[in-house]
Amino acid sequence: MSVEPFVVLDDPCKIRLAPHDCFSKQPYFQPISYLAEERLSDMLVRLGQTSDILYYEVLDNPVPEYESLCTLIVAFHSAVKDEVVIHEIRLAKDNRIENVFDYPRAKVELSHFDAKLRLISVSPYRILADHHPHQKLESWNSYLASLRVEEIPEEENDLTPQDRLIPVVHFTRDTSGMHMDFGVPFFIIIYEGETLAEIKVRVQNKLQVPDKKFVKWKFIYTPVGHKSHKKSREDLKDSDILSRYFEVGKENLWRILGISWTGALR
């Protein structure tokens, strides 16, 4: 049965279908591609499970045209205002990540006109990837992560081969010692031979946290993928030299600096 009689449209090709996910009880995260399935019975099967539910949405462009584009839902984190603005950006798939930045540059206020931007993937409270500006969009899949565009702080433009750019994650600990991530992750620079006490000063300045709250924060080192194993994580002391924990010349996204804290950030 066609859904077109129930929807007033100038072009039935603007209807996009999505199968039912029997596990999440929601539409499957990836819609059905145009002409990918010829039979209705095939559309109702996903991940080996058969359902009698099929979802549809009405697009503003025909599905074939829509599929020729890469659609990114991007959250822009302002460096000059305490705000996050969501943008939907559509580009031809032969574009690169650097072309994504043209849209927020024209729509938002930057700290200065030639500020450099970066696109990172976050899921859900950790940084998964810092995408290279020359990466092409043709094989892009943004369904499994949130996308964030932000300004690159000026001090990060002058990194030496010995400096490390590491991710920082907020978390709380329960009585069993297990961690629960939350909040907005961010990058911080670690210089060769720098102690945790020196890095904490920059973290506090970056997040603008009052002294009375910041003194309650605890810092730990955790290799991602081993956070549930107590032997793999290490509570850090102010005298610890953090460059020993993060390798030079390698992406350190799978080694994180964790902040354990209580109370509101501001």
Side-chain angles (χ1 to χ4, degrees), residues 64-187:
E65 179 182 335
Y66 194 91
E67 291 181 350
S68 70
L69 304 174
C70 184
T71 301
L72 305 179
I73 307 299
V74 175
F76 179 80
H77 289 239
S78 175
V80 297
K81 300 178 182 178
D82 187 15
E83 68 176 15
V84 177
V85 182
I86 306 300
H87 300 280
E88 180 176 314
I89 303 174
R90 295 180 186 175
L91 294 170
K93 292 183 177 180
D94 58 354
N95 278 279
R96 301 176 185 270
I97 293 297
E98 59 188 350
N99 301 116
V100 175
F101 302 144
D102 294 338
Y103 186 89
R105 284 188 184 279
K107 298 290 184 178
V108 302
E109 180 182 357
L110 302 176
S111 61
H112 53 284
F113 76 95
D114 60 347
K116 293 183 179 180
L117 303 177
R118 65 179 162 217
L119 177 71
I120 62 177
S121 293
V122 181
S123 178
Y125 304 111
R126 295 193 176 194
I127 297 173
L128 297 181
D130 181 2
H131 299 285
H132 194 281
H134 293 161
Q135 179 182 342
K136 286 191 174 183
L137 299 179
E138 57 189 2
S139 59
W140 186 267
N141 185 348
S142 62
Y143 291 110
L144 302 180
S146 300
L147 299 177
R148 185 171 99 199
V149 171
E150 62 186 15
E151 286 191 35
I152 299 177
E154 291 189 25
E155 61 268 21
E156 292 184 20
N157 294 322
D158 299 318
L159 297 179
T160 72
Q162 297 302 312
D163 299 332
R164 290 88 158 161
L165 188 64
I166 66 165
V168 184
V169 173
H170 301 280
F171 69 90
T172 58
R173 275 196 263 207
D174 60 22
T175 54
S176 67
M178 295 292 291
H179 299 170
M180 180 179 294
D181 302 337
F182 69 97
V184 180
F186 60 94
F187 285 113

Side-chain angles (χ1 to χ4, degrees), residues 1-13 15 56:
M1 177 184 294
S2 171
V3 300
E4 186 186 0
F6 304 98
V7 183
V8 178
L9 289 176
D10 58 342
D11 185 351
C13 286
I15 296 176
Y56 77 90

